[in-house]
Each structure stands twice: as C-alpha cells, then as structure tokens.
Amino acid sequence: MGRTVTVATCALNQWALDFDGNLERILKSIEIAKDKGARYRLGPELEICGYGCSDHYYESDTLLHSFQVLAKLLESPITQDIICDVGMPVMHRNVRYNCRVIFLNKNILLIRPKMALANTGNYREMRWFTPWNRSRHVEDYFLPRMIQEITIQESVPFGDAVLATLDTCIGSEICEELWTPVSPHIEMGIDGVEIFTNSSASHHVLRKAHTRVELVNFTTMKEVLVATLDLEDVRSYRAEISSRNLEANKVTPYQRIKVKFALSCFDDICAPTSEPVQWRYHSPEEEISLGPACWLWDYLRRSKQGGFFMPLSGGVDSSAVACIVYSMCLQVCCAVQNGNQCVLDDVRKIVNDDAYTPTDPREFCGRVLTTCYMASENSSQDTNSRAKFLAEEIGSYHMNIYIDGAVKAIWCIFNAITGRLPKYQVHGGSARENLALQNVQARIRMVFTYLFAQLCLWSRGMPGGLLVLGTANVDESLCGYLTKYDSSSADINPIGGISKTDLKSFIQYCIDTFHLMTLRSVVSAPPTAELEPLKKGHVTQADEIDMGMTYDELSVYGKLRKIAKAGPYTMFCKLITIWKEICAPREVASKVKHFFQMYSVNRHKMTTLTPSYHAANYSPDDNRFDLRPFLYNTAWSWQFRCIDEQVSKLESKEVNSKLENAA
C-alpha cells in the first residue's frame, strides 16, 4: 500500500501575453517536477496567458491563444504520467472565469473556477472575471474542438469538485480563497481531502511574509509543509480529533472526480519524507535589498536595453536606488556562479558580449549602471563628493555635468519675450518666482537625463540605450513634494513604494552588509533638493521645512489616509490620541489641515507618476492602486469646519476641567 506522495509547486517568471515564453517555462517546470519524482505539478495563477493581462482578458484572442497553449501542453510527452494543474481564463456559458485546468495523460480531469476574486489594492479581478458562487456544484463544460481532437472528450466537469486518486484526495484553492474568512479548504478537510493546492499571484509588500506563512500554516498544519509527505501522518493526526470527526459526519460531500492514477508507489515503505520547511523571514531592509533588485533585473532583461541611467544627487533616495542596483549585480553574479545558465544568457545579451561572464559585482555594475551628478550653482561640494565616492564604491560608470548654461539659456529666452527675470526669495523675489526658478532646474535635469540615457552608450561606441531610474520615495509622492516632469520622471522607479524612514534603515543595512562607507555621510545629512542659492557654500534649503512636515509625520499621514481609510476629520480624531503626549488638539488640527491641503493641491502629479515597485500599502499610485480625484476643492471647508468644532469642544472641556480642579 502506497503512503508517501511527492508533489511540486512552481513559481514561474510568466509574462502577460508571452504565450511562447509562458509555454516554454511551463513545460520546463513540469520536466523538472518529474525529474524530482513528483506526480502532481501545481503552477501559478493564470500562468498560460500571464496574470497581468488586464483588459486584454476581454479579448477573444486571449482565450483562443490560452486554449492553443493548453493543446500544446496536452500533446507534449513531457506532461505524460504526471497530474498537471495549470491556470488560464475560460469562458463558460458566455461568462469569463479564472480557472485551474487539471489534466492527466491527454485527459482533462476538472476545470475548477475561482470562487473568491481579489478586488482590492492592485487587484481588479471583478473587472474581468466572475466568481463561481455555486459551492460543490459541478456541470458540463463543452470543450473547443481543438481540445476535443486531442482528449477525445466532448465535455468535462466544470465547478467546485475534488480529485479522488487511487491513494488520496486532492482539493484545489486559488489565491484569494485562502484569505477569505470561510476558505474552501476548511470543509474540504472535514470531507476527507488530504492534500490542498493553492495557486497564487500574490504580490510582494514589505512585512507581508508573516501573514502569508501564518495563513499557509493555519490551513495545512502537517499537510503541505513538506514536498514529500506521508499520508498516514495526515490520517492518524486527523483521526484522533473527535470534534473534527463529528463535523465530518454532517458535512455535505464534494463531488469526487475519480482518477485512475496514484501519487504514491505501491511499495514505498522506505521512501524518505521531506523535513518541514523552516521559513526564513527577511527584515524589511533585506526585502528592499532583494525584491526591487529582482524587479529591476526582470525589467532590464525583458526590455532588452543596455542598462540603467540615473541622476545620483548624493541624497538618501538616489543613493538607495544605486544600492538596489548594486544588490541586483550581487545577485546576478551569485546566480551565475551557482550555474544559472538562463541568467548568464541574459547578462550576455544585455552587455552585448557572448563571451562575458560576470564575476565581480562592481565590474558588472560598471557595465549596467551609469550615474550622473547634475550640478548647478546651487549644488554643494558635499553632495557632489558623496555621489562621486558612492559611485566609486559600487563601481558605476559615473559622470559630472553642469546644467547652469542650459538654465541661463532658458531664462534668456524668457527675458527676451517678457522683458523680465524672476528672483529667488532670498534675493527679494516672490514665492511664485522662487518656485519657477527651482522648477526650471529640475526639468532641465529630466531633459539631460533622457538625452544621456538615449545616447550615452552610443557616445562610447556601444549599442543600445539605457532605462531611466526614478528616485522619488512614496512619502514625497504622497504630498507632491516633487516637480512635475522633473528628474523624478523616469521609466521605472524601484523606491516609489518605499517610505523615507524605511530607506534610511536600508541605507544603514547597506553600510553594514555591503560595507559602502560613503553612505554614512549620506544618511546623516539633512534631506535637501539643492534648488535654492547656497549661503557661503552651504545648503540652506531643507526638505522638511519646505514641506512643512517631517518624513515621519508623512508616513503616519499616508498610513491613516490609505490603510485606515481616514479623511481629514477621522485622521484628526485618531491623531489627537496617537499624538496626545506631544501635540495639543489645535496643533494636530493645523498639521492635518496642512497635509490635506498639500495632498489635494498636488494630487494631479500622481497621474504622471513613474511606474514603481509596489512595496507599501499606502502608496498614492494613481495608475493602479490609489484611485482618487486629481482635482479637489482644496479648501475642504466642511471637513475642516468639523475639525475646528471638535477642537473648540476639546479646549472648552479642558478649561472646565481646570476650573473644577482649581475650585
């Protein structure tokens, strides 16, 4: 009697609408699973077409090509003698579903539609799919003719069922279903299902790993923490729980799809089982070092560009981006050293050298990262030196340019037309003049950035172009402390979803881990845009003074606004408790009003925000995550009046309390 089974789960680097590449990766994963003795292979959600197709799901082509790929999988000898569980969209009775298609030896066993759709944050599954709300209901799905010719099946089961093999029972969940209060695995387990699968497309967010692992552990207990498991362990564990056994007598049974196939061998008494997985939780700083770096590499190799270009200002944000690229180079060199041929092939395409093998992260960084310090008359020697020394430590190809000539040329044109020239506030100009003078500098930097990104490699006799990296953090985007269409504009931004507070911690991590000693002066320097005149060679402008709030405060505002879903009044009510030891109610009111005025005045900037790595649940990304108006009545008259009334009540209450105590 067989008792040990080996199953395989796969995390593939699928790409929306890349049907050739997706098919190749699916087949390769099945081949690896079989080589390792697995008899069941589980793939990612919507792996055939790629999860991120968005409105392409509406197109009949997406459904057609998904079935064409399924046909190739069914016909392939690689998929024989292993149960394959793949993800794809399926249209059933003119309704589109997010499905698992489970097949064995050219025979489709079950099409299992997703029952709970992800529809918050970055997810819009309800826009394209309908949830299957009929628990334990199964009906016939009539296959397309191209599939019928292969499977010799006219119809197959479609719905909420489980698989009964010769030796066990397997139930399927799809991503979001694990997160629902009443997950399908609960009653599946009571009904005797011994193995649960869950295909997922859940994205990375800082500090989210604990939640994921706890959910999986709670779901499976002893069941899928190992790759090879002993079914008798599951059975004996359950059999002694009397409360579970009583519930099992009452549960409505699932339809079992009978499969003449066993996951175990007949004589496997000596087969070893896998040890339980000991999950290693990364610190937030490690997550920043690893996650965005992998994202950058993925974007670089897919875009077929020759590397990255980024303005390196010598501040925390741009230094953090440079360190993330350096971390990417470390990971690439490590992968190549460990024999990863796919990574090596990508490296050689990017650097345009079929004989090149990266061994030194600094040397490789010099090939794929170009950094540039864009100095003006308002730049300090301190930031210039920090940028130069950091570039030397990580090995980037570094250059210095001076933008004053271009800035003056623009003001000459303006003066020729208007007969006037603006002045900085320190020289007697107005706030409007002061801002315009800063914006011209910032926007000129964007022009130079894209010029050098396009022609830098050409000027060095090398092919290709460079991707521009953005350096705006999530907090600055939230309050709009950036110039629209300035050097924050870029192709991609690895820190656009990361707070200033987390970036400072990440910089310290890089000092300790990568031994980049220049970062000590970076992290200790006050944040500044360096867009206003220096005073005796020293910076007088400070970001937190310009914003009228600290970065720590901004982080709190961001979490309350998005995660706690607080408008101005609710945010005030929460903060008078949170900050009761440091701020009086009237001061809290002033801070909240200032934040919402800054946020609403600058919200239009979010419509042009550079695509960024999503790492914070309070990101203001208007394109995917944080859907809000971009034109507000910035007076917030009703909301602020409610705050003022509450402040008056609190102050009156405090006065009355003091009088009573005095009496």
Side-chain angles (χ1 to χ4, degrees), residues 475 498-506 551-552 555:
D475 296 326
I498 304 175
S499 72
K500 191 79 160 190
T501 303
D502 281 336
L503 288 175
K504 285 184 175 180
S505 298
F506 170 63
Y551 281 105
D552 288 342
S555 185

Side-chain angles (χ1 to χ4, degrees), residues 73-111:
L73 290 169
L74 289 164
E75 291 176 321
S76 173
I78 294 173
T79 63
Q80 301 307 295
D81 299 322
I82 182 172
I83 297 177
C84 297
D85 185 338
V86 299
M88 61 178 278
V90 176
M91 182 86 79
H92 177 53
R93 296 184 178 179
N94 297 327
V95 180
R96 193 182 303 101
Y97 296 97
N98 175 347
C99 293
R100 305 303 303 172
V101 178
I102 307 173
F103 62 91
L104 169 68
N105 294 337
K106 297 185 179 181
N107 193 259
I108 295 177
L109 306 174
L110 171 67
I111 300 179

